[in-house]
Amino acid sequence: ADEIYKQGAFALGEALAERGITLVYGGANVGLMGAVAEGALVRSGKVVGVLPRFLERKELAHEGLTELHLVETMHERKLLMN
């Protein structure tokens, strides 16, 4: 069942890109949101990530994003994503 969710997330990313909708998300390369980002990128969509530096150090940052903003705290992340 997990693969079904991943495929659906990827398809959502594709659909966003095809409609010209920019994806703003947490910036990681894992999980369902990573799959949404991949789907959007495959269709040449704009994908903006906002990631705390401590997560970048854990090698969770998605390397292929249109933009990646690194912040110091989760509070900064929330403010920037609003």
Side-chain angles (χ1 to χ4, degrees):
D2 291 341
E3 187 60 31
I4 291 170
Y5 295 121
K6 186 175 179 181
Q7 290 171 3
F10 188 89
L12 173 61
E14 290 179 307
L16 292 172
E18 289 167 359
R19 288 166 178 76
I21 299 171
T22 299
L23 172 65
V24 179
Y25 83 114
N29 61 6
V30 296
L32 294 178
M33 286 306 301
V36 175
E38 279 300 314
L41 291 168
V42 162
R43 297 286 186 210
S44 300
K46 183 174 180 185
V47 181
V48 179
V50 183
L51 189 74
R53 290 189 189 280
F54 75 89
L55 291 176
E56 178 195 31
R57 288 189 287 271
K58 293 183 179 200
E59 299 181 3
L60 294 178
H62 194 299
E63 299 293 326
L65 302 179
T66 309
E67 297 176 30
L68 178 61
H69 300 273
L70 296 173
V71 295
E72 297 303 319
T73 66
M74 294 296 278
H75 181 70
E76 286 180 56
R77 181 189 210 184
K78 182 178 177 180
L79 289 174
L80 188 57
M81 290 178 79
N82 281 330

